[in-house]
Structure formats: structure tokens, C-alpha cells
């Protein structure tokens, strides 16, 4: 058995979980998320918990077992607490500013770069070099943060660019002088 797949998903108070065939819907104080469970996996709801089961020990069933349980658990955590990815900007003249529901970056290009917030995502700017991406869908929060990081990846020589908070950049040694 999968160590993660066999663990029950606890449903906290204030969260409404609906299982209809292969569709799982989670409603909570922060919003609603839905997931279609892959075919061999089944989901059973008992009082206060949810169990993910697999019919056999085939490779596909084993690989989807823990994944499905983790996705459902992430949905429950998302609608109760939400997810946040903190980011930092390093570099002279590099900064970020909130413009309505979007972010405007100055990253050393000839023009400012504007990033619109997709549905379910919000941005919070603490100061001109620190901001965060927030939402209830863990996958979407990570994807938006990765796309923002791609605007100006951290430079291995000087460390300039957009990075996750606390990320360590492996620095390279420059050219050796005479």
C-alpha cells in the first residue's frame, strides 16, 4: 500500500465535501475547488474523513493512489487556509508595484512588465522588492509564481533577478583577472 494513499483525509468543520462518482468537490470559507479522480481509483466518504482506495496493485493504480490523496488533501487545505508563495527581487533599480489587481515590474528592460492576476489569484506587495502570490489552488499559485520568476531569472554571477523568498542561488566565479 502507498504510505500516503492509505492515510485518510480529515475534513475540518466548515468544509463541505461532495463525492459524485469520480468527481470530488470541496467547498470552504475561502472558495470552491473540484477534481475528477482518475478511473481505477475510488473515493469513499465516511463521517469526518475521506478515504482513497485502489482496486489492485497494478503500476498505474499504485502511482495514482498517493497522487489522488495528495490532490484532495491540498484542495481541503486550500479552501480552509489558502496558499501563499513569497518572492523577492534583487538588483539595482529592480522593483515591483501593485496596479489594481496586477503587478508592474521594473526589471531592467526598456519597458515595465505587467503581470495580470488570473482568476483565483491575488497579489500582495509588502515593499518594492518583496511580494507574494496568494490563492486557494496550490498548483495555480506555484505556476503563477514560476512564470513571474521566469521574467528575470536570478543571474548566477551577480544574483540579480526575481527569486523565491529564501532561495539560495549558486554563484559562479567571474573571469579571472591578470
Amino acid at each position: 500500500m502507498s504510505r500516503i494513499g492509505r492515510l485518510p483525509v480529515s475534513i475540518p468543520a466548515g468544509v463541505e465535501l461532495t463525492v459524485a462518482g469520480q468527481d470530488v468537490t470541496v467547498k470552504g470559507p475561502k472558495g470552491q475547488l473540484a477534481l475528477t479522480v482518475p478511473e481505477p481509483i475510488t473515493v469513499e466518504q465516511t463521517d469526518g474523513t475521506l478515504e482513497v482506495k485502489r482496486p489492485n496493485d497494478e503500476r498505474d493504480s499504485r502511482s495514482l493512489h498517493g497522487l489522488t490523496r495528495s490532490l484532495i488533501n491540498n484542495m481541503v487545505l486550500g479552501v480552509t487556509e489558502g496558499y501563499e508563495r513569497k518572492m523577492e527581487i534583487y538588483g539595482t533599480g529592480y522593483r515591483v508595484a501593485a496596479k489594481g489587481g496586477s503587478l508592474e515590474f521594473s526589471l531592467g528592460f526598456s519597458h515595465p512588465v505587467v503581470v495580470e492576476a488570473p482568476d483565483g489569484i491575488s497579489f500582495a506587495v509588502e515593499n518594492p522588492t518583496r511580494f507574494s502570490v496568494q490563492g486557494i489552488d496550490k498548483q495555480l499559485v506555484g505556476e503563477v509564481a514560476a512564470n513571474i520568476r521566469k521574467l528575470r531569472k536570478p543571474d548566477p554571477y551577480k544574483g540579480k533577478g526575481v527569486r523565491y523568498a529564501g532561495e539560495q542561488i549558486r554563484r559562479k566565479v567571474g573571469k579571472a583577472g591578470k
Side-chain angles (χ1 to χ4, degrees), residues 94-174:
Y94 290 9
R95 61 186 171 276
V96 63
K99 297 278 183 174
S102 61
L103 293 177
E104 185 175 285
F105 291 92
S106 297
L107 297 174
F109 299 120
S110 61
H111 57 283
V113 179
V114 178
V115 175
E116 299 291 331
D119 291 338
I121 296 292
S122 62
F123 299 122
V125 178
E126 298 170 28
N127 61 39
T129 60
R130 293 181 188 270
F131 65 98
S132 63
V133 180
Q134 302 162 342
I136 61 172
D137 188 355
K138 185 175 188 179
Q139 187 266 333
L140 187 60
V141 169
E143 184 178 353
V144 170
N147 287 337
I148 290 174
R149 185 179 182 273
K150 268 192 236 174
L151 295 175
R152 180 70 88 172
K153 286 185 181 175
D155 176 38
Y157 296 101
K158 293 185 178 180
K160 294 167 58 170
V162 180
R163 63 175 82 170
Y164 302 121
E167 179 182 6
Q168 297 293 319
I169 304 299
R170 290 188 60 189
R171 303 290 290 270
K172 293 182 178 179
V173 179

Side-chain angles (χ1 to χ4, degrees), residues 21-136:
Q22 295 297 102
D23 294 328
V24 177
T25 306
V26 181
K27 281 185 188 173
K30 290 195 176 251
Q32 175 179 344
L33 293 172
L35 172 73
T36 301
V37 177
E39 192 51 50
I41 306 297
T42 58
V43 179
E44 295 176 7
Q45 185 176 4
T46 56
D47 52 310
T49 61
L50 187 93
E51 293 203 14
V52 179
K53 299 189 176 183
R54 67 178 188 226
N56 51 35
D57 281 341
E58 290 182 11
R59 186 180 180 95
D60 289 343
S61 299
R62 285 187 320 211
S63 65
L64 291 172
H65 189 209
L67 170 72
T68 304
R69 190 260 177 207
S70 292
L71 291 175
I72 293 172
N73 191 49
N74 287 344
M75 288 170 35
V76 171
L77 289 175
V79 297
T80 54
E81 302 166 14
Y83 290 100
E84 179 179 38
R85 193 68 151 128
K86 293 185 180 288
M87 302 187 80
E88 301 171 336
I89 299 176
Y90 283 97
T92 306
Y94 290 9
R95 61 186 171 276
V96 63
K99 297 278 183 174
S102 61
L103 293 177
E104 185 175 285
F105 291 92
S106 297
L107 297 174
F109 299 120
S110 61
H111 57 283
V113 179
V114 178
V115 175
E116 299 291 331
D119 291 338
I121 296 292
S122 62
F123 299 122
V125 178
E126 298 170 28
N127 61 39
T129 60
R130 293 181 188 270
F131 65 98
S132 63
V133 180
Q134 302 162 342
I136 61 172

